[in-house]
Amino acid sequence: MAVSGGGSGAIYGGIEAGGTKWVCAVGSGRGPEDIHEPTTCPPADPQETIARAAEFFADNGSLAAIGIGSFGPIDVRRNSPTWGWITTTPKRGWARTPLVATLSEALDLPFAFDTDVNAAALGEHRWGAAADLETFCYITVGTGIGGGGMANGKLMHGLLHPEFGHMRIPHDRVRDSFDGVCPYHGDCFEGLASGDAIAARWGSPSDQLADESVWQLEADYLALGLLNMICLLSPQRIIVGGGVMQEPSLLPLVRRRITKLASGYFDTPELREEVDDYIVAPALGDRAGVLGALELARLRSRQRAI
Amino acid sequence: MAVSGGGSGAIYGGIEAGGTKWVCAVGSGRGPEDIHEPTTCPPADPQETIARAAEFFADNGSLAAIGIGSFGPIDVRRNSPTWGWITTTPKRGWARTPLVATLSEALDLPFAFDTDVNAAALGEHRWGAAADLETFCYITVGTGIGGGGMANGKLMHGLLHPEFGHMRIPHDRVRDSFDGVCPYHGDCFEGLASGDAIAARWGSPSDQLADESVWQLEADYLALGLLNMICLLSPQRIIVGGGVMQEPSLLPLVRRRITKLASGYFDTPELREEVDDYIVAPALGDRAGVLGALELARLRSRQRAI
């Protein structure tokens, strides 16, 4: 495929750099259907994975910019000497990886860099379940738990970037004696409610568990996490994606539990009869991340053109 | 005092409408020292308290606008039919109080309306500990716990407004068998760590408690709440005010505990050796709220002038 960079016909590159899957794609950034040649691979060691991504983009014509939504923690502070790095991740071999710098050696292009969840949030804002919202959360419940979103119309950043997965929630050890799987904190939100936690607690991957008590416990933990998001951020909507949410009973259980936890205090229909429109699945499904990465690239390119 | 409204010499009114104290003041909005005639009264029933505030402003010349920072929950959605109301507060007699509408009957002026903690955050942003920050939190630990702040340069709003006090945190009932004081949730953050919770747990008001174990437990709860703020919002700084923080040992204990909870995962000096500059007391002390209310009024007036 031969495509040209720059101008109104510009083509962008996007990488969803996930912990268990990398997705690379090129596209015009005009709509969710306008992606060419997406390619997916499991991440091997950093050198090999990054080299494979660089090769993909080198083969796909002249790009205006590349956007990356990466698993974290990452450094998103533009003025930091380690901007574009994956930092203290527990993922074996990936701590302190200069992701953008390594890609830049092969591809002389402008890069945008953000968390995988902020990229997915951006995709949902442009084309999906968060269109026209100023303040919303995007949370992914997969092997780990990540979260991001927008506050006052911009992607959430600050000191670093949000780390929803590592908040602390109540853990009733009488009901659930499981210690949690987080290597840093044990029974933080991710330590109790991620796909890895479910698998370790019950001895089977989450997609092989049908028992109602598995999903009731999971829904109760997720609802506690979502309630804390509501208390701290007051989002206009919460989008919940990730592999664990493939269990069809889970989202309805979470919604029911949230309305109970919020009962009375939050005087708003979104936390009562309209909860089905308040806590929702991603409209872009599992393409939210790579589409958001393309949008990051488009915005980066526009920013440079001003 | 005779002052004139409008133009560059404009005078504004500010109300810090707290749960235990109302502060009314007028001022030019030019600096923290430029407040005239602040007056303080404990809130009686809504009619009487609001009437007294209206009288104060009527006696203080021609104002360009009035800003109100109120205890909550309140309705801050400009297009809502109940904008300007105190809504589901458990404070006796104050639920469903049309605060702004009642004041408007006596004073035909533009009003700005936000939470007491967002007003205090705005004051600290203009003149205090949050100058030049885009994303920060302000939390007050008094009879209750409230929180607000800015995200991406604007005060935090969304579906409603943040309700930091009602997030859920771990509660180890072996160490602390106390059930919590929140009438809605029992052992939420406010239910465990507010001044009312301390007094109910130990049988004395917090300013009469000197035992080290009292403040160690309190610091541990506050640190859990602050850690969740960091995980969900990634603030560039956290300002902690309120009457409970008058205990001099408390802030250092909170800082020490936070660095332990964050250990290793958050790779940033603010959560290690620079924590004293990261978790701080309000620079404006107990005047942050009323100063922020004046600033709310000034911004409202400017907005109308555009």
Side-chain angles (χ1 to χ4, degrees), chain A residues 176-210:
Chain A
D176 174 28
S177 62
F178 181 63
D179 284 333
V181 294
C182 175
Y184 287 98
H185 318 113
D187 65 348
C188 61
F189 185 39
E190 173 172 295
L192 289 173
S194 64
D196 282 355
I198 297 172
R201 180 188 290 109
W202 304 101
S204 302
S206 64
D207 58 2
Q208 291 167 29
L209 293 162

Tab-separated table of all heavy atoms in Angstrom, chain A residues 176-210:
chain	number	residue	atom	x	y	z
A	176	ASP	N	-13.803	-13.539	51.497
A	176	ASP	CA	-12.820	-13.824	50.447
A	176	ASP	C	-11.429	-13.763	51.077
A	176	ASP	O	-10.853	-12.701	51.255
A	176	ASP	CB	-12.954	-12.774	49.328
A	176	ASP	CG	-11.863	-12.909	48.272
A	176	ASP	OD1	-11.364	-14.047	48.075
A	176	ASP	OD2	-11.505	-11.887	47.647
A	177	SER	N	-10.892	-14.945	51.402
A	177	SER	CA	-9.606	-14.989	52.108
A	177	SER	C	-8.413	-14.839	51.163
A	177	SER	O	-7.261	-14.815	51.610
A	177	SER	CB	-9.485	-16.309	52.873
A	177	SER	OG	-9.514	-17.386	51.948
A	178	PHE	N	-8.670	-14.687	49.884
A	178	PHE	CA	-7.617	-14.567	48.873
A	178	PHE	C	-6.768	-13.316	49.130
A	178	PHE	O	-7.293	-12.246	49.398
A	178	PHE	CB	-8.289	-14.490	47.499
A	178	PHE	CG	-7.344	-14.390	46.348
A	178	PHE	CD1	-6.446	-15.410	46.062
A	178	PHE	CD2	-7.358	-13.269	45.521
A	178	PHE	CE1	-5.582	-15.313	44.979
A	178	PHE	CE2	-6.506	-13.160	44.433
A	178	PHE	CZ	-5.613	-14.190	44.168
A	179	ASP	N	-5.429	-13.478	49.044
A	179	ASP	CA	-4.520	-12.378	49.401
A	179	ASP	C	-4.354	-11.318	48.323
A	179	ASP	O	-3.832	-10.235	48.595
A	179	ASP	CB	-3.124	-12.925	49.742
A	179	ASP	CG	-3.086	-13.569	51.113
A	179	ASP	OD1	-3.902	-13.176	51.958
A	179	ASP	OD2	-2.254	-14.463	51.318
A	180	GLY	N	-4.744	-11.638	47.093
A	180	GLY	CA	-4.538	-10.679	46.004
A	180	GLY	C	-3.250	-10.957	45.245
A	180	GLY	O	-2.328	-11.559	45.791
A	181	VAL	N	-3.178	-10.509	43.993
A	181	VAL	CA	-2.038	-10.863	43.143
A	181	VAL	C	-1.106	-9.702	42.809
A	181	VAL	O	-0.123	-9.900	42.094
A	181	VAL	CB	-2.501	-11.481	41.795
A	181	VAL	CG1	-3.190	-12.810	42.018
A	181	VAL	CG2	-3.374	-10.516	40.996
A	182	CYS	N	-1.376	-8.510	43.302
A	182	CYS	CA	-0.498	-7.401	42.908
A	182	CYS	C	0.876	-7.572	43.555
A	182	CYS	O	0.967	-7.700	44.778
A	182	CYS	CB	-1.102	-6.057	43.324
A	182	CYS	SG	0.011	-4.670	42.985
A	183	PRO	N	1.952	-7.591	42.756
A	183	PRO	CA	3.286	-7.771	43.352
A	183	PRO	C	3.699	-6.597	44.238
A	183	PRO	O	4.557	-6.757	45.096
A	183	PRO	CB	4.217	-7.890	42.137
A	183	PRO	CG	3.461	-7.306	40.988
A	183	PRO	CD	1.997	-7.474	41.289
A	184	TYR	N	3.082	-5.432	44.058
A	184	TYR	CA	3.408	-4.274	44.895
A	184	TYR	C	2.526	-4.182	46.137
A	184	TYR	O	2.991	-3.857	47.216
A	184	TYR	CB	3.258	-2.964	44.103
A	184	TYR	CG	4.358	-2.759	43.092
A	184	TYR	CD1	4.161	-3.093	41.754
A	184	TYR	CD2	5.594	-2.242	43.474
A	184	TYR	CE1	5.168	-2.909	40.824
A	184	TYR	CE2	6.609	-2.058	42.545
A	184	TYR	CZ	6.396	-2.393	41.224
A	184	TYR	OH	7.392	-2.212	40.307
A	185	HIS	N	1.206	-4.426	45.963
A	185	HIS	CA	0.274	-4.115	47.055
A	185	HIS	C	-0.603	-5.286	47.491
A	185	HIS	O	-1.449	-5.116	48.370
A	185	HIS	CB	-0.657	-2.971	46.644
A	185	HIS	CG	0.019	-1.855	45.922
A	185	HIS	ND1	-0.222	-1.560	44.607
A	185	HIS	CD2	0.959	-0.983	46.343
A	185	HIS	CE1	0.534	-0.533	44.246
A	185	HIS	NE2	1.255	-0.169	45.259
A	186	GLY	N	-0.473	-6.446	46.892
A	186	GLY	CA	-1.335	-7.561	47.289
A	186	GLY	C	-2.771	-7.313	46.882
A	186	GLY	O	-3.143	-7.497	45.728
A	187	ASP	N	-3.581	-6.845	47.842
A	187	ASP	CA	-5.025	-6.783	47.602
A	187	ASP	C	-5.549	-5.388	47.249
A	187	ASP	O	-6.605	-4.974	47.715
A	187	ASP	CB	-5.792	-7.367	48.794
A	187	ASP	CG	-5.628	-6.556	50.078
A	187	ASP	OD1	-4.739	-5.677	50.120
A	187	ASP	OD2	-6.390	-6.810	51.026
A	188	CYS	N	-4.803	-4.669	46.393
A	188	CYS	CA	-5.376	-3.437	45.824
A	188	CYS	C	-6.481	-3.848	44.837
A	188	CYS	O	-6.791	-5.032	44.677
A	188	CYS	CB	-4.296	-2.606	45.138
A	188	CYS	SG	-3.490	-3.442	43.769
A	189	PHE	N	-7.107	-2.860	44.188
A	189	PHE	CA	-8.232	-3.122	43.280
A	189	PHE	C	-7.835	-4.156	42.212
A	189	PHE	O	-8.522	-5.174	42.016
A	189	PHE	CB	-8.634	-1.783	42.646
A	189	PHE	CG	-9.841	-1.800	41.757
A	189	PHE	CD1	-10.965	-2.553	42.056
A	189	PHE	CD2	-9.874	-0.995	40.611
A	189	PHE	CE1	-12.092	-2.525	41.233
A	189	PHE	CE2	-10.989	-0.953	39.790
A	189	PHE	CZ	-12.094	-1.736	40.094
A	190	GLU	N	-6.719	-3.928	41.548
A	190	GLU	CA	-6.230	-4.873	40.541
A	190	GLU	C	-5.869	-6.220	41.163
A	190	GLU	O	-6.139	-7.273	40.583
A	190	GLU	CB	-4.996	-4.275	39.844
A	190	GLU	CG	-4.285	-5.211	38.900
A	190	GLU	CD	-3.193	-4.497	38.097
A	190	GLU	OE1	-3.536	-3.614	37.287
A	190	GLU	OE2	-2.000	-4.812	38.266
A	191	GLY	N	-5.282	-6.165	42.353
A	191	GLY	CA	-4.886	-7.387	43.042
A	191	GLY	C	-6.063	-8.284	43.375
A	191	GLY	O	-5.916	-9.508	43.466
A	192	LEU	N	-7.242	-7.691	43.548
A	192	LEU	CA	-8.440	-8.456	43.892
A	192	LEU	C	-9.348	-8.755	42.695
A	192	LEU	O	-10.048	-9.766	42.691
A	192	LEU	CB	-9.277	-7.700	44.936
A	192	LEU	CG	-8.720	-7.622	46.358
A	192	LEU	CD1	-9.585	-6.691	47.204
A	192	LEU	CD2	-8.645	-9.017	46.996
A	193	ALA	N	-9.382	-7.852	41.704
A	193	ALA	CA	-10.466	-7.925	40.715
A	193	ALA	C	-10.010	-8.103	39.273
A	193	ALA	O	-10.854	-8.199	38.375
A	193	ALA	CB	-11.331	-6.658	40.829
A	194	SER	N	-8.708	-8.159	39.018
A	194	SER	CA	-8.241	-8.347	37.636
A	194	SER	C	-8.462	-9.787	37.183
A	194	SER	O	-8.747	-10.681	37.993
A	194	SER	CB	-6.740	-8.027	37.566
A	194	SER	OG	-6.021	-8.954	38.360
A	195	GLY	N	-8.310	-10.013	35.891
A	195	GLY	CA	-8.399	-11.368	35.359
A	195	GLY	C	-7.375	-12.302	35.993
A	195	GLY	O	-7.689	-13.456	36.306
A	196	ASP	N	-6.163	-11.805	36.214
A	196	ASP	CA	-5.149	-12.618	36.894
A	196	ASP	C	-5.589	-12.987	38.304
A	196	ASP	O	-5.319	-14.098	38.784
A	196	ASP	CB	-3.811	-11.855	36.963
A	196	ASP	CG	-3.060	-11.901	35.638
A	196	ASP	OD1	-3.521	-12.600	34.711
A	196	ASP	OD2	-2.021	-11.220	35.529
A	197	ALA	N	-6.246	-12.054	38.984
A	197	ALA	CA	-6.727	-12.338	40.347
A	197	ALA	C	-7.812	-13.411	40.322
A	197	ALA	O	-7.802	-14.337	41.139
A	197	ALA	CB	-7.261	-11.057	41.003
A	198	ILE	N	-8.734	-13.298	39.370
A	198	ILE	CA	-9.807	-14.294	39.264
A	198	ILE	C	-9.208	-15.683	39.019
A	198	ILE	O	-9.561	-16.667	39.690
A	198	ILE	CB	-10.781	-13.930	38.119
A	198	ILE	CG1	-11.476	-12.599	38.423
A	198	ILE	CG2	-11.820	-15.042	37.911
A	198	ILE	CD1	-12.312	-12.062	37.270
A	199	ALA	N	-8.275	-15.732	38.081
A	199	ALA	CA	-7.657	-17.023	37.744
A	199	ALA	C	-6.917	-17.621	38.939
A	199	ALA	O	-7.003	-18.824	39.210
A	199	ALA	CB	-6.713	-16.850	36.556
A	200	ALA	N	-6.190	-16.778	39.682
A	200	ALA	CA	-5.423	-17.283	40.831
A	200	ALA	C	-6.346	-17.701	41.977
A	200	ALA	O	-6.097	-18.697	42.651
A	200	ALA	CB	-4.437	-16.212	41.310
A	201	ARG	N	-7.435	-16.940	42.156
A	201	ARG	CA	-8.347	-17.254	43.270
A	201	ARG	C	-9.091	-18.566	43.025
A	201	ARG	O	-9.243	-19.389	43.912
A	201	ARG	CB	-9.349	-16.119	43.469
A	201	ARG	CG	-10.342	-16.364	44.614
A	201	ARG	CD	-11.438	-15.307	44.665
A	201	ARG	NE	-10.981	-14.003	45.075
A	201	ARG	CZ	-10.881	-12.938	44.276
A	201	ARG	NH1	-11.202	-13.039	42.981
A	201	ARG	NH2	-10.467	-11.786	44.739
A	202	TRP	N	-9.581	-18.758	41.796
A	202	TRP	CA	-10.458	-19.891	41.513
A	202	TRP	C	-9.762	-21.044	40.803
A	202	TRP	O	-10.362	-22.101	40.595
A	202	TRP	CB	-11.666	-19.433	40.694
A	202	TRP	CG	-12.449	-18.324	41.348
A	202	TRP	CD1	-12.395	-17.005	41.048
A	202	TRP	CD2	-13.394	-18.444	42.427
A	202	TRP	NE1	-13.239	-16.283	41.856
A	202	TRP	CE2	-13.880	-17.149	42.716
A	202	TRP	CE3	-13.888	-19.516	43.186
A	202	TRP	CZ2	-14.805	-16.879	43.717
A	202	TRP	CZ3	-14.823	-19.246	44.184
A	202	TRP	CH2	-15.277	-17.953	44.437
A	203	GLY	N	-8.517	-20.828	40.373
A	203	GLY	CA	-7.748	-21.908	39.767
A	203	GLY	C	-8.051	-22.175	38.304
A	203	GLY	O	-7.600	-23.189	37.757
A	204	SER	N	-8.806	-21.273	37.656
A	204	SER	CA	-9.103	-21.405	36.226
A	204	SER	C	-9.163	-20.010	35.603
A	204	SER	O	-9.528	-19.057	36.289
A	204	SER	CB	-10.463	-22.057	35.984
A	204	SER	OG	-10.541	-23.318	36.581
A	205	PRO	N	-8.856	-19.917	34.312
A	205	PRO	CA	-9.008	-18.610	33.660
A	205	PRO	C	-10.463	-18.140	33.731
A	205	PRO	O	-11.386	-18.963	33.788
A	205	PRO	CB	-8.612	-18.880	32.207
A	205	PRO	CG	-7.891	-20.179	32.206
A	205	PRO	CD	-8.361	-20.945	33.384
A	206	SER	N	-10.659	-16.838	33.711
A	206	SER	CA	-12.006	-16.297	33.941
A	206	SER	C	-13.009	-16.751	32.889
A	206	SER	O	-14.190	-16.889	33.182
A	206	SER	CB	-11.963	-14.768	34.031
A	206	SER	OG	-11.550	-14.199	32.811
A	207	ASP	N	-12.549	-17.038	31.661
A	207	ASP	CA	-13.517	-17.443	30.637
A	207	ASP	C	-13.963	-18.900	30.790
A	207	ASP	O	-14.783	-19.390	30.016
A	207	ASP	CB	-12.981	-17.173	29.223
A	207	ASP	CG	-11.670	-17.888	28.958
A	207	ASP	OD1	-11.191	-18.625	29.846
A	207	ASP	OD2	-11.112	-17.705	27.864
A	208	GLN	N	-13.421	-19.584	31.794
A	208	GLN	CA	-13.866	-20.959	32.045
A	208	GLN	C	-14.653	-21.083	33.347
A	208	GLN	O	-14.900	-22.190	33.824
A	208	GLN	CB	-12.660	-21.894	32.082
A	208	GLN	CG	-12.006	-22.061	30.710
A	208	GLN	CD	-10.645	-22.732	30.806
A	208	GLN	OE1	-10.388	-23.523	31.706
A	208	GLN	NE2	-9.766	-22.408	29.864
A	209	LEU	N	-15.010	-19.951	33.925
A	209	LEU	CA	-15.708	-19.978	35.215
A	209	LEU	C	-17.159	-19.565	35.034
A	209	LEU	O	-17.442	-18.476	34.558
A	209	LEU	CB	-15.010	-19.034	36.203
A	209	LEU	CG	-13.603	-19.474	36.632
A	209	LEU	CD1	-12.834	-18.307	37.230
A	209	LEU	CD2	-13.682	-20.619	37.631
A	210	ALA	N	-18.074	-20.445	35.414
A	210	ALA	CA	-19.495	-20.154	35.206
A	210	ALA	C	-20.246	-19.977	36.513
A	210	ALA	O	-21.369	-19.497	36.525
A	210	ALA	CB	-20.140	-21.288	34.409
